[in-house]
Amino acid sequence: MLRCAKKIIACCLAVLCLASVLPQSCFATEGGKLNLQETVYAEGSYGVYNNKNTENGTEPIYEEITVAAAAYTSKENAELKTGEYCGRANAVMWENGEGSVTWRVNTPRAGLYAVALDYCPIEGKGSAIDLGIKIDGEYPFSEASSVTFPRIWKDNSDKMPMDENGDEYTPEISEVFEWSREYFRDVKGNYGNISYEFYFSAGEHTVTVVCNNETVALESIVLLNKKAVPSYAEVAEKYKAAGYKESKSEIKYIQAETPYRKSDQTLRAQYDRNSPLTQPFDASHIRYNCIGANAWKYQSQWISWEIDVPEDGLYTLGARYRQETIKGFASSRRLTLDGELPFAEAECIDFAYTEDWDLLLFGQENEPYLFYLTAGKHIMRLEVVMGRVSEIVGSLQNVNDTLMKLYRRIITITGTSPDPYRDYSIAESIPDMVEILEEARRILRTEKKNLETVTGNKSVNTSTIQTLLSQVENVIKTPDSLITSARLNSFSSNISSLSSWLLDLKYQPLTIDYFILKAPDDTLPRCNAGFVENFISGFKNFIASFVQQYGISGNSGNKKITIWLS
């Protein structure tokens, strides 16, 4: 009896010792219920920071506070020059692309503020500008240490140059040095591409910008939260109240391969020779007639186009596009006109998966959106965003991180190769193990169903989730069944597979041929050619293959070059 009591006491002490060394904050419970907000985000991440502010009831402040860049109070290892730059009289030019600069900011009210920079790139290495932000000398969360601000590029010609064989080639590009306002924000899509909100108490604070690479000019630091954008229904009511009339202009085509500006120099025109309805098209010569594809898939990349509107009025907008890369998923874009969201729904325009070209009229269900545009030039911009799967991906990523932490807790006890002759009683060694798995099962089931609803596909898109879910369900029934080398390796592999799959979901490739600007009553143009048109095009292409000099490109001349071989 005494020996049995000693064993019980020893086991209790072992569990207490183990609990003292495990990261309990990562697996906290509240009122007996697992609080995933505390378990899923990495310590020090924006997710934890934002959850804390939400729990404290901290509200966003919609007051603009502007600090001139030239009013900095200190600098460290930063080579600065103040003066005129690109039309701004009092700019601060950060010429060495390193170090940090600090400003004092007075916030009259405590709350959450978004922080933006009025900036202009300085000629450098051509890569995006990487900046960090500290509040009162500290990074408030890990993501604040590195946020990219894009450089802006343009094609040097709005027409494709042509070689002596009649084939087009892409024009040279150059950097555009113009002022922009960009927020410190989630550029990787981890939190739905939102602007970060920073907590400031009432009073004086310091804001420090850290330059991680590249040279940049700053005009001002702005604390400003964007106000809620009205819904399309609200905007449509305003159209009616203002008496706006539908345009009667003829349909207008905006060729996507000739953009106005772009955020990445890799976003170049592409050519498609599969459909004779692609504009422009030539069966026997190369014609650059679209843009995007796999080069335009990374979060926060954007392309803009100039639209020449013939008259004031209400128009519909659409695009001929193709997205055949991510089966079952839509590629999403944020649509802005002249730098502003026209309505809340423009935050996410979905381009559904399609194996062939398709024509999308921007709208919801069978109702196209109406856009009021004045006569003259306007700038339309599309930016890569996570779209409708953003919250699903975030939720699944959180569960995935939690399960990986649980796996590490398990192998702390068992090792990666458990002794098959030992009884680990794993559910007793990790008391909240079953609770964590049950909560993970609930979320996996919920998000699997949500994903099936969004994609309309119950097999290909959710198989990775189902594999992990099945194993989680088995472990809940018999926790000790997990404690074998093969099953532990399978558990780790399934978690890693989900993580890799979620990363792939952040890629949003899209190819666009052209945009259409049309009166609401106009009919849509044909999107795909018929059998006869495709046959004739294919036959012409076949004949041209016997005479076209595909191995020769460029203009010949009398200029001689010297080639050295070693």
Side-chain angles (χ1 to χ4, degrees), residues 69-220:
Y72 63 88
T73 56
S74 64
K75 62 177 182 175
E76 183 176 348
N77 300 325
E79 296 178 7
L80 306 179
K81 179 182 177 181
T82 303
E84 191 277 335
Y85 184 74
C86 290
R88 304 291 173 92
N90 206 27
V92 173
M93 290 153 276
W94 204 326
E95 295 184 325
N96 64 335
E98 61 182 55
S100 63
V101 185
T102 298
W103 295 264
R104 293 193 182 280
V105 177
N106 195 294
T107 50
R109 297 171 56 197
L112 299 174
Y113 295 80
V115 180
L117 297 178
D118 290 327
Y119 80 102
C120 181
I122 297 174
E123 187 173 359
K125 301 174 185 177
S127 58
I129 300 160
D130 191 332
L131 302 175
I133 180 171
K134 295 180 179 180
I135 308 300
D136 296 326
E138 301 289 339
Y139 290 118
F141 44 86
S142 58
E143 293 90 345
S145 65
S146 177
V147 177
T148 54
F149 290 72
R151 291 180 177 271
I152 301 174
W153 305 87
K154 70 171 184 177
D155 293 336
N156 289 345
S157 173
D158 58 359
K159 294 182 179 180
M160 297 294 164
M162 191 175 294
D163 65 20
E164 63 180 12
N165 297 319
D167 292 325
E168 291 181 345
Y169 58 95
T170 56
E172 294 183 355
I173 64 170
S174 59
E175 188 172 357
V176 180
F177 298 100
E178 60 186 21
W179 290 91
S180 304
R181 174 172 290 185
E182 293 284 348
Y183 286 81
F184 283 93
R185 64 190 183 113
D186 168 33
V187 295
K188 297 180 180 179
N190 294 327
Y191 305 99
N193 308 92
I194 60 173
S195 299
Y196 293 133
E197 292 184 324
F198 301 84
Y199 175 74
F200 288 83
S201 61
E204 189 175 81
H205 298 270
T206 61
V207 173
T208 301
V209 175
V210 180
C211 192
N212 299 316
N213 74 336
E214 289 290 11
T215 52
V216 64
L218 301 176
E219 184 188 34
S220 54

Side-chain angles (χ1 to χ4, degrees), residues 326-329 389 392 396 443-470 494 497-498 501-502 505:
I326 310 178
K327 189 173 183 179
F329 287 94
V389 299
I392 298 174
L396 289 173
I443 295 176
L444 287 171
R445 284 176 175 174
T446 300
E447 300 304 353
K448 176 176 177 288
K449 184 177 180 180
N450 290 339
L451 198 58
E452 289 170 350
T453 301
V454 169
T455 64
N457 191 316
K458 295 186 178 182
S459 56
V460 177
N461 299 318
T462 58
S463 59
T464 306
I465 302 175
Q466 184 58 54
T467 300
L468 180 58
L469 176 58
S470 297
N494 290 335
S497 294
L498 180 60
W501 181 71
L502 292 173
L505 284 185

Side-chain angles (χ1 to χ4, degrees), residues 105-391:
V105 177
N106 195 294
T107 50
R109 297 171 56 197
L112 299 174
Y113 295 80
V115 180
L117 297 178
D118 290 327
Y119 80 102
C120 181
I122 297 174
E123 187 173 359
K125 301 174 185 177
S127 58
I129 300 160
D130 191 332
L131 302 175
I133 180 171
K134 295 180 179 180
I135 308 300
D136 296 326
E138 301 289 339
Y139 290 118
F141 44 86
S142 58
E143 293 90 345
S145 65
S146 177
V147 177
T148 54
F149 290 72
R151 291 180 177 271
I152 301 174
W153 305 87
K154 70 171 184 177
D155 293 336
N156 289 345
S157 173
D158 58 359
K159 294 182 179 180
M160 297 294 164
M162 191 175 294
D163 65 20
E164 63 180 12
N165 297 319
D167 292 325
E168 291 181 345
Y169 58 95
T170 56
E172 294 183 355
I173 64 170
S174 59
E175 188 172 357
V176 180
F177 298 100
E178 60 186 21
W179 290 91
S180 304
R181 174 172 290 185
E182 293 284 348
Y183 286 81
F184 283 93
R185 64 190 183 113
D186 168 33
V187 295
K188 297 180 180 179
N190 294 327
Y191 305 99
N193 308 92
I194 60 173
S195 299
Y196 293 133
E197 292 184 324
F198 301 84
Y199 175 74
F200 288 83
S201 61
E204 189 175 81
H205 298 270
T206 61
V207 173
T208 301
V209 175
V210 180
C211 192
N212 299 316
N213 74 336
E214 289 290 11
T215 52
V216 64
L218 301 176
E219 184 188 34
S220 54
I221 295 87
V222 183
L223 276 63
L224 174 66
N225 274 314
K226 297 178 181 178
K227 292 186 178 180
V229 179
S231 68
Y232 176 71
E234 293 172 317
V235 171
E237 286 299 320
K238 290 181 180 179
Y239 290 164
K240 291 180 182 179
Y244 294 150
K245 303 296 183 182
E246 295 183 356
S247 170
K248 301 299 181 183
S249 301
E250 294 183 356
I251 188 169
K252 188 176 183 65
Y253 293 87
I254 301 98
Q255 297 301 326
E257 67 271 11
T258 54
Y260 175 69
R261 297 286 190 268
K262 47 194 173 182
S263 66
D264 198 314
Q265 54 187 320
T266 63
L267 298 172
R268 309 296 296 270
Q270 312 281 327
Y271 65 87
D272 171 73
R273 303 178 69 176
N274 295 321
S275 171
L277 293 188
T278 305
Q279 299 180 9
F281 180 81
D282 192 306
S284 56
H285 292 90
I286 293 174
R287 294 290 180 264
Y288 282 86
N289 48 22
C290 55
I291 197 169
N294 274 322
W296 193 24
K297 67 179 181 180
Y298 301 104
Q299 295 297 307
S300 301
Q301 283 182 315
W302 57 261
I303 308 175
S304 66
W305 295 265
E306 189 175 71
I307 302 175
D308 194 357
V309 179
E311 64 178 14
D312 295 0
L314 295 171
Y315 294 84
T316 56
L317 274 169
R320 185 175 188 257
Y321 79 96
R322 185 175 62 199
Q323 194 285 98
E324 76 284 15
T325 306
I326 310 178
K327 189 173 183 179
F329 287 94
S331 282
S332 300
R333 297 294 184 270
R334 175 189 288 124
L335 167 67
T336 58
L337 291 170
D338 299 324
E340 300 291 337
L341 282 170
F343 37 79
E345 289 82 351
E347 184 72 38
C348 176
I349 304 292
D350 282 339
F351 293 81
Y353 171 81
T354 173
E355 294 181 354
D356 204 347
W357 289 100
D358 199 0
L359 191 61
L360 173 68
L361 204 58
F362 301 156
Q364 48 191 357
E365 297 179 356
N366 296 322
E367 180 188 4
Y369 297 135
L370 295 178
F371 299 85
Y372 178 73
L373 297 171
T374 56
K377 297 185 183 300
H378 296 268
I379 303 300
M380 176 182 67
R381 183 167 113 169
L382 292 180
E383 179 182 349
V384 181
V385 294
M386 278 296 296
R388 290 191 296 164
V389 299
S390 175
E391 292 184 2

